[in-house]
Amino acid sequence: MHRILRCLLPALFSSALHPAVAADQIIWGKYNVPPYMIRSGEFAHQGIFDQTLDVLKDQLPQYEHIELEAPFPRINSEIRKGSHWCFNGTLKTAERETYGYLSLPSSIFLPLRIIVRRDRLAQFKGPLSLQALLQDHQLITSVMRDRSYSPTVDKLLAAYPPRENYSEQVEAIGMLLAGRIDYMIELPLLASDQARNMGHAGELVAIPMQEANEVVFNRVMCARNEWGRKLIEQVNRVLLANRGKAYYRSIVEKWHDPESVAEIRRIYDSVFLKTP
């Protein structure tokens, strides 16, 4: 017995000092931006980004997946620092590629619009010039910190930076509804859904802008280190195997009106699936 204990004790002591390493962990940063990410309520976790993330989580069982609610600037900061954080839903920019690895496209954003209150529509006759709006210092808008809107819009915002900014869309939609800002640059689907959730259905109007009619694609972004490089390679394999399937197409189309669904279908195979 004593001989057995002498053999076992060193092994037990070593196990206590060096516990088994847990499965590699991914923190998926998320925030409430219906209908892309829905964090609570009747349709919780039924957003477009929620469900495309479920595909990735299901197909990457070798990782421990943790969803953590945080404002986008915090998520972006963690990825910049090289933390084991990722975000499903970002746009590719040259700056982001300096600190993050980005996947193939995972979903679609239809063109941005100028969003105004319906009772002020007469003041905003479309199609509007975003540059003219940004140059008009009598009008106030607000933009999300660290967000990329689209290549054209990003250039205009860099040239004519608004004085106001926000961390979460619900904050900006609330300011617009309350009259604290005059307009915002946003996706119509997002703006209308957020207003409806706040009890103001039908009170916002989306107006085309002259400068930008771009369809842009969302991607997964992880830190630009070896961990992130390996993970994005695995994410890309999952996307390549699943994006062409009917169930994945239905996720990308979810929540859109029939006209928008038709627009998504026109570009899905010819553009979305072929964009690197």
Side-chain angles (χ1 to χ4, degrees):
M1 178 64 72
H2 289 298
R3 282 197 299 271
I4 294 171
L5 286 174
R6 280 198 301 270
C7 293
L8 286 176
L9 283 174
L12 293 170
F13 184 66
S14 176
S15 296
L17 288 177
H18 306 286
V21 178
D24 203 355
Q25 186 182 90
I26 307 169
I27 296 177
W28 294 98
K30 300 185 79 172
Y31 56 97
N32 194 55
V33 53
Y36 296 95
M37 288 180 282
I38 307 173
R39 306 302 293 146
S40 60
E42 180 184 358
F43 301 107
H45 208 82
Q46 294 182 41
I48 296 167
F49 295 171
D50 295 322
Q51 295 192 310
T52 54
L53 177 56
D54 281 346
V55 174
L56 298 176
K57 289 163 60 179
D58 181 64
Q59 299 287 318
L60 297 171
Q62 67 270 38
Y63 290 94
E64 179 187 2
H65 299 273
I66 296 175
E67 296 185 11
L68 185 62
E69 189 161 357
F72 180 70
R74 163 83 191 285
I75 298 167
N76 201 47
S77 175
E78 291 292 343
I79 293 172
R80 276 183 182 274
K81 289 192 300 186
S83 303
H84 285 197
W85 284 54
C86 294
F87 180 69
N88 177 36
T90 196
L91 304 188
K92 180 191 281 190
T93 68
E95 181 194 7
R96 286 178 179 165
E97 288 188 290
T98 65
Y99 62 84
Y101 283 110
L102 288 99
S103 73
L104 294 169
S106 58
S107 56
I108 298 172
F109 273 163
L110 294 179
L112 292 156
R113 297 288 185 252
I114 303 297
I115 310 296
V116 302
R117 281 185 4 192
R118 186 175 295 279
D119 61 1
R120 295 187 60 186
L121 185 56
Q123 298 174 249
F124 298 89
K125 297 189 178 178
L128 295 170
S129 166
L130 177 58
Q131 180 173 334
L133 289 176
L134 292 170
Q135 289 176 309
D136 187 342
H137 299 299
Q138 300 301 311
L139 296 174
I140 301 172
T141 190
S142 182
V143 294
M144 176 180 272
R145 288 191 293 274
D146 297 332
R147 178 179 176 182
S148 174
Y149 286 81
S150 75
T152 301
V153 171
D154 288 349
K155 288 177 184 176
L156 288 170
L157 292 175
Y160 310 101
R163 297 189 303 271
E164 303 284 335
N165 55 59
Y166 60 89
S167 295
E168 301 211 26
Q169 272 89 353
V170 64
E171 177 186 349
I173 297 290
M175 290 194 296
L176 180 62
L177 289 166
R180 291 170 52 201
I181 59 175
D182 300 294
Y183 69 95
M184 63 185 297
I185 307 154
E186 196 47 89
L187 302 161
L189 178 61
L190 186 156
S192 62
D193 195 78
Q194 191 71 263
R196 178 184 58 79
N197 288 338
M198 297 168 73
H200 296 273
E203 293 186 23
L204 298 181
V205 179
I207 307 171
M209 65 180 85
Q210 293 175 2
E211 296 90 346
N213 200 35
E214 300 146 310
V215 174
V216 292
F217 302 132
N218 315 108
R219 302 167 187 263
V220 174
M221 179 169 67
C222 303
R224 195 171 187 83
N225 51 31
E226 182 59 21
W227 176 86
R229 184 195 64 77
K230 177 182 175 184
L231 178 52
I232 290 298
E233 285 183 353
Q234 295 170 321
V235 165
N236 283 342
R237 285 197 288 270
V238 174
L239 293 173
L240 286 170
N242 290 273
R243 291 181 308 169
K245 295 180 179 178
Y247 88 94
Y248 196 100
R249 293 170 185 262
S250 70
I251 294 172
V252 176
E253 295 174 3
K254 189 168 183 166
W255 302 109
H256 289 87
D257 59 60
E259 182 181 344
S260 298
V261 169
E263 186 171 357
I264 289 170
R265 290 179 179 178
R266 279 196 297 272
I267 64 168
Y268 201 96
D269 291 286
S270 60
V271 183
F272 176 67
L273 293 183
K274 293 184 179 178
T275 298

